[in-house]
Amino acid sequence: MEQKKILLTGANGLLGQKITEVFARETEYELVVTDLQPKGEEPRKFKYYSLDITNKEAVKDFTKKYRPDLIINAAAFTNVDACETERELSWKVNVRCC
């Protein structure tokens, strides 16, 4: 049986890390992980790519290239103080993304 491909955004965040841990134990899924930041230092079992989810063309191109069966969006702008001062960016990431 062919593996289902899942695209995970926000892989470096707390939720993204926990989701990655769950899928690390699964063999029936191919997980493609993304985040705005470059890849961290820790070794990863999954393919990792930098992706800005506020760039709709980049997201469209990425999904056309990797053709995921499912997308899990765990990306978020979580710095509460910065959300107050950077409202437009906060809105782009937390509301209008992708």
Side-chain angles (χ1 to χ4, degrees), residues 16 26 33 52 71:
E26 299 291 330
V33 297
D52 180 356
I71 298 173

Side-chain angles (χ1 to χ4, degrees), residues 45-96:
K45 175 183 175 184
F46 308 107
K47 296 175 187 170
Y48 181 92
Y49 302 92
S50 180
L51 179 65
D52 180 356
I53 64 166
T54 66
N55 181 334
K56 290 185 187 251
E57 284 302 313
V59 172
K60 188 188 306 183
D61 291 345
F62 192 90
T63 55
K64 280 183 182 178
K65 182 176 181 179
Y66 292 97
R67 304 183 52 76
D69 297 297
L70 178 69
I71 298 173
I72 301 173
N73 182 17
F77 189 27
T78 59
N79 182 324
V80 176
D81 293 331
C83 284
E84 288 294 322
T85 59
E86 299 180 50
R87 290 176 182 232
E88 186 175 332
L89 178 58
S90 171
W91 189 261
K92 276 182 169 180
V93 173
N94 293 336
V95 179
R96 280 193 324 218

Side-chain angles (χ1 to χ4, degrees), residues 8-19:
L8 172 64
T9 64
N12 290 338
L14 183 60
L15 179 58
Q17 290 175 22
K18 295 301 179 187
I19 292 170

Side-chain angles (χ1 to χ4, degrees), residues 16-27 29 31 46:
Q17 290 175 22
K18 295 301 179 187
I19 292 170
T20 301
E21 286 176 16
V22 169
F23 281 100
R25 297 186 296 263
E26 299 291 330
T27 58
Y29 301 99
L31 190 63
F46 308 107

